Amino acid sequence: MLQPSERSYAGYRLYTGDDLQRLQHIVVYRRLGFSLEEVAELLDGGGDVVAHLQRQREAVLTKVADLQGMVAAIDTAMEAQMDNKPVSDAEMREIFGNGFDEEYAVEAEQRWGDTDAWAQSSKRTKGYNKADWEAIKAEADEINARYVALLSVGEPATSEAAMDVAEAARLQIDQRFYTCSREMHAGIAQMYVSDPRFTKTYEDIAPGLAQFVHDAVHANAQRAGGLSAS
């Protein structure tokens, strides 16, 4: 495909400027994926240098577009895989701060690991990624902010407004983790005042919040007939 135009007196091959230009075209076409037969056809088809360069440029641009499409497809696949990747303990600490402790999870499994609620929660949360947990954290923060707003203005925990917030908290558990009746929610709220760790979590947000939330949850259960007044 590339023949020297001249030879020296000793028989060595000598390549002229035109020969080197032909070599350049061969190299470019080959790098673009053309077979030797295709390259020979392109070169032997005649045409000036500009015509060859234009063809090469068009071929390169087509190749670039194809490669950019492949990169975009790979990025999409990578993003999907990363989004579906289970969240790590480090990411949970990043999201929930001091509210996340691996020991709590171990203790919870020991206490409730054989319950239907635990099985349901494990099945749901197994597929949660970082974005899901961030959304859950944002929902919980919004619920707590509503509690604090009511507490700060002296709204009774037994008021309709407070019970509405308690119902929102129950629904978040029900929708995000496991089926949670109002009676079950009242049982969970009992830990807010009986377990110092839960109490501290609420008291760190606002003094008196643990008891306020407990009372609002119990009032909400009684309102719906899910708990007897005591």
Side-chain angles (χ1 to χ4, degrees):
M1 189 179 301
L2 179 65
Q3 299 293 330
S5 297
E6 301 176 3
R7 286 186 178 272
S8 68
Y9 290 111
Y12 293 110
R13 290 172 292 186
L14 297 175
Y15 294 96
T16 65
D18 289 340
D19 295 333
L20 294 177
Q21 193 172 75
R22 182 180 176 87
L23 175 61
Q24 179 187 19
H25 294 321
I26 293 172
V27 171
V28 171
Y29 284 133
R30 288 292 288 159
R31 289 192 63 182
L32 289 172
F34 290 106
S35 66
L36 290 175
E37 292 77 10
E38 291 171 325
V39 174
E41 183 178 348
L42 286 167
L43 293 177
D44 295 339
D48 57 23
V49 174
V50 173
H52 278 298
L53 291 175
Q54 287 176 336
R55 283 197 296 270
Q56 290 169 2
R57 185 177 187 277
E58 292 172 1
V60 168
L61 290 175
T62 300
K63 190 75 170 180
V64 168
D66 291 342
L67 291 174
Q68 288 176 335
M70 290 179 63
V71 170
I74 292 171
D75 287 344
T76 299
M78 286 176 60
E79 185 175 347
Q81 289 297 317
M82 292 175 69
D83 286 344
N84 293 327
K85 182 180 178 182
V87 67
S88 66
D89 287 348
E91 289 172 323
M92 289 292 278
R93 281 191 294 273
E94 176 187 336
I95 296 169
F96 292 98
N98 295 331
F100 175 78
D101 191 323
E102 296 93 331
E103 294 182 1
Y104 291 175
V106 173
E107 180 183 338
E109 185 171 9
Q110 291 173 344
R111 295 176 63 177
W112 300 295
D114 58 349
T115 64
D116 291 339
W118 180 268
Q120 190 177 15
S121 179
S122 297
K123 183 178 180 180
R124 289 187 186 180
T125 58
K126 183 179 181 180
Y128 288 174
N129 55 34
K130 185 177 181 181
D132 293 323
W133 286 111
E134 287 174 336
I136 290 170
K137 176 63 163 55
E139 292 165 2
D141 287 346
E142 191 271 338
I143 289 170
N144 287 334
R146 290 172 63 188
Y147 275 133
V148 171
L150 295 174
L151 177 63
S152 64
V153 296
E155 187 80 19
T158 54
S159 67
E160 290 291 323
M163 287 188 285
D164 287 345
V165 180
E167 179 64 7
R170 183 190 71 82
L171 288 174
Q172 190 207 24
I173 297 173
D174 192 88
Q175 294 165 4
R176 290 291 195 176
F177 300 101
Y178 51 83
T179 302
C180 183
S181 67
R182 291 175 178 83
E183 184 177 5
M184 178 182 286
H185 194 208
I188 295 171
Q190 191 62 38
M191 293 189 296
Y192 301 165
V193 293
S194 63
D195 188 320
R197 294 169 300 181
F198 285 97
T199 302
K200 184 178 186 302
T201 297
Y202 282 107
E203 294 302 298
D204 284 347
I205 298 174
L209 186 60
Q211 187 68 54
F212 185 86
V213 173
H214 167 274
D215 294 347
V217 170
H218 276 252
N220 183 57
Q222 292 168 9
R223 174 176 65 168
L227 191 70
S228 301
S230 56

